[in-house]
């Protein structure tokens, strides 16, 4: 666990049968050395989803049975589980909540935003959609439209079960139902790149005899021997890196983030603004429309600079770099403090340990 930064909590939502557990299992088996804590919220007394992932996460998993997580009146049960997973002994890097298929995503997000534990923070809402049953699900559950409207990232799962024309139609409808600019990722068998949600760390520990991690690593090694790398999940995505020793204009950078294209799924890195009174190192994290800044001190002798990685599909790399270049500010020392207001909207409140604007996207 990172002892300085709070642990991001990602909500994985979607109606029954959409493939949430399949997506979760894929994230777990392709996490590298990242330690993932899992909260499985099954509807009903038999926690089938919990059993299907239990072998992969061991003591890092807690499960809520017998009802929707969002039905907790004060969220105290969820808070207790998050507090357990955030204990330093677990060294968790990210927490994923697999919501019940009947949960209200917006209420779950509000519960996480209201959480007063400074060791965790809301990390975005991922809504999984069953491509083969999209029309039937929407007819049976009109609240689908509302759920899509608050998503930070939409995963259209089971695309292998529909033809290209049907996929294009559904994608157009999803784009109209979701908030403007919400990224849409296509997937079959729940295979999405974990890098869209969190950083995969290299293996740094010696794994035990016949441990789950050993089996995963061995399987991965054999798969890489004959596998065509063009079929990798990440092969469909582009990565653009931007660095500069010149400060960025907070207003122009926020404007860039507000206008980011739908194909730009994730942004991570750190920014140097250099505005008087705000000369910290601002770590930035964006998943879909979700956005957060975490200010912190520069390391001893660390140069003041900006370093960003942008991950997306069908993005205009040179165009994005040109827009970021236009954000550079040659005289940051002359900027007024109020120029930082746009950035500070997405910075945690120090007194509460909760984000100022980590809220459902329509409210942010």
């Amino acid at each position: 666990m990172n002892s300085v930064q709070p642990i991001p909590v990602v909500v994985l939502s979607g109606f029954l049968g959409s493939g949430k557990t399949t997506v979760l299992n894929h994230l777990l088996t392709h996490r590298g050395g990242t330690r993932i804590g899992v909260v499985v919220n099954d509807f009903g007394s038999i926690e089938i989803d919990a059993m299907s992932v239990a072998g992969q996460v061991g003591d890092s998993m807690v499960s809520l049975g017998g009802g929707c997580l969002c039905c907790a009146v004060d969220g105290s049960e969820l808070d207790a589980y998050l507090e357990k997973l955030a204990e330093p002994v677990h060294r968790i890097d990210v927490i994923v909540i697999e919501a019940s298929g009947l949960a209200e995503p917006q209420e779950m997000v509000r519960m996480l935003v209201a959480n007063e534990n400074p060791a965790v923070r809301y990390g975005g809402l991922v809504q999984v959609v069953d491509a083969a049953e999209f029309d039937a699900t929407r007819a049976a559950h009109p609240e689908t439209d509302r759920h899509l409207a608050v998503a930070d990232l939409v995963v259209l799962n089971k695309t292998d079960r529909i033809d290209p024309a049907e996929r294009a139609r559904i994608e157009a409808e999803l784009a109209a139902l979701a908030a403007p600019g919400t990224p849409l990722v296509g997937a079959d068998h729940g295979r999405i790149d974990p890098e869209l949600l969190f950083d995969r760390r290299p293996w740094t520990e010696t794994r035990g005899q016949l441990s789950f991690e050993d089996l995963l690593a061995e399987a991965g090694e054999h798969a890489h021997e004959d596998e065509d790398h063009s079929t990798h999940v990440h092969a469909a995505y582009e990565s653009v890196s931007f660095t500069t020793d010149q400060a960025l204009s907070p207003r122009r950078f926020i404007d860039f983030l507000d206008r980011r294209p739908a194909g730009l799924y994730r942004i991570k890195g750190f920014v140097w603004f250099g505005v008087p009174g705000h000369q910290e190192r601002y770590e930035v994290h964006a998943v879909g429309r979700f956005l957060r800044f975490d200010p912190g001190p520069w390391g001893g002798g660390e140069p003041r600079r900006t370093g960003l990685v942008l991950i997306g599909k069908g993005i205009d790399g040179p165009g994005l770099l040109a827009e970021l270049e236009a954000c550079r500010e040659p005289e940051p020392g002359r900027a007024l403090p109020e120029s930082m207001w746009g950035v500070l909207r997405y910075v945690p409140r120090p007194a509460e340990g909760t984000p100022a604007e980590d809220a459902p996207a329509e409210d942010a």
Side-chain angles (χ1 to χ4, degrees):
M1 168 183 155
N2 187 328
S3 61
V4 177
Q5 297 295 340
I7 302 171
V9 181
V10 177
V11 178
L12 191 61
S13 180
F15 282 105
L16 298 170
S18 61
K20 298 186 302 297
T21 301
T22 305
V23 172
L24 175 59
N25 279 323
H26 177 78
L27 294 175
L28 291 169
T29 55
H30 293 81
R31 69 188 186 276
T34 300
R35 295 180 65 85
I36 305 177
V38 178
V39 177
V40 176
N41 169 222
D42 295 329
F43 189 84
S45 58
I46 301 177
E47 299 170 357
I48 298 175
D49 288 349
M51 290 187 287
S52 71
V53 300
Q56 299 191 23
V57 293
D59 292 338
S60 296
M61 187 191 79
V62 293
S63 181
L64 297 173
C68 291
L69 194 65
C70 62
C71 294
V73 176
D74 58 5
S76 59
E77 189 177 12
L78 173 61
D79 292 347
Y81 283 126
L82 293 179
E83 183 175 357
K84 175 184 176 182
L85 287 175
E87 293 175 357
V89 66
H90 296 305
R91 293 177 290 119
I92 297 296
D93 297 303
V94 61
I95 297 172
V96 178
I97 298 178
E98 182 191 349
S100 159
L102 302 178
E104 276 290 341
Q106 186 171 0
E107 293 307 312
M108 296 186 68
V109 171
R110 293 189 186 280
M111 288 168 61
L112 289 171
V113 171
N115 189 291
E116 297 182 355
N117 185 350
V120 297
R121 64 172 172 82
Y122 172 59
L125 171 66
V126 180
Q127 183 75 14
V128 182
V129 175
D130 184 339
E133 300 293 332
F134 173 68
D135 292 327
T137 299
R138 193 179 175 201
H141 302 280
E143 62 269 30
T144 298
D145 296 6
R146 185 174 66 253
H147 295 181
L148 288 166
V150 300
D152 295 299
L153 179 68
V154 177
V155 175
L156 180 61
N157 194 29
K158 306 182 185 180
T159 55
D160 56 311
R161 295 177 54 186
I162 57 175
D163 59 43
E166 180 72 355
R167 176 173 177 174
R169 179 188 69 81
I170 294 174
E171 289 182 342
E173 290 195 35
L174 290 173
L177 293 170
T182 302
L184 171 64
V185 180
D188 62 86
H189 299 90
R191 293 179 293 192
I192 66 172
D193 194 337
E195 292 283 348
L196 298 180
L197 302 178
F198 55 81
D199 292 329
R200 280 177 291 189
R201 305 181 186 278
W203 292 113
T204 57
E205 301 176 0
T206 301
R207 297 180 289 278
Q209 184 178 9
L210 296 180
S211 69
F212 184 77
E213 284 83 356
D214 280 320
L215 296 176
L216 285 178
E218 183 178 349
E221 289 169 2
H222 290 312
H224 280 290
E225 291 176 0
D226 304 310
E227 193 174 2
D228 178 4
H229 284 256
S230 65
T231 63
H232 286 187
V233 175
H234 63 72
Y237 304 108
E238 302 172 58
S239 177
V240 177
S241 298
F242 172 78
T243 58
T244 179
D245 292 327
Q246 195 167 359
L248 297 190
S249 162
R251 285 175 172 166
R252 290 198 291 273
F253 185 58
I254 286 293
D255 183 58
F256 165 78
L257 294 174
D258 286 343
R259 294 182 292 100
R260 58 191 186 274
L264 185 55
Y265 304 134
R266 189 176 181 212
I267 302 173
K268 58 181 179 177
F270 51 90
V271 185
W272 161 237
F273 293 115
V275 175
H278 302 279
Q279 301 194 23
E280 303 95 330
R281 181 181 186 267
Y282 282 81
E283 182 177 344
V284 59
H285 173 73
V287 174
R289 293 181 303 125
F290 170 76
L291 176 63
R292 178 186 173 101
F293 286 95
D294 285 297
W298 296 90
E302 184 179 1
R304 276 40 173 176
R305 65 199 316 254
T306 292
L308 298 170
V309 176
L310 299 84
I311 302 173
K313 181 177 180 181
I315 56 177
D316 177 10
L320 291 174
L321 291 176
E323 289 189 57
L324 287 170
E325 288 285 350
C327 292
R328 298 199 300 174
E329 176 56 61
E331 297 182 286
R334 300 183 62 180
L336 297 175
E338 51 264 36
S339 66
M340 287 291 295
W341 288 352
V343 172
L344 297 178
R345 290 177 57 220
Y346 301 98
V347 169
R349 294 189 182 101
E352 300 178 10
T354 57
E357 285 294 334
D358 283 3
E362 78 276 13
D363 294 336

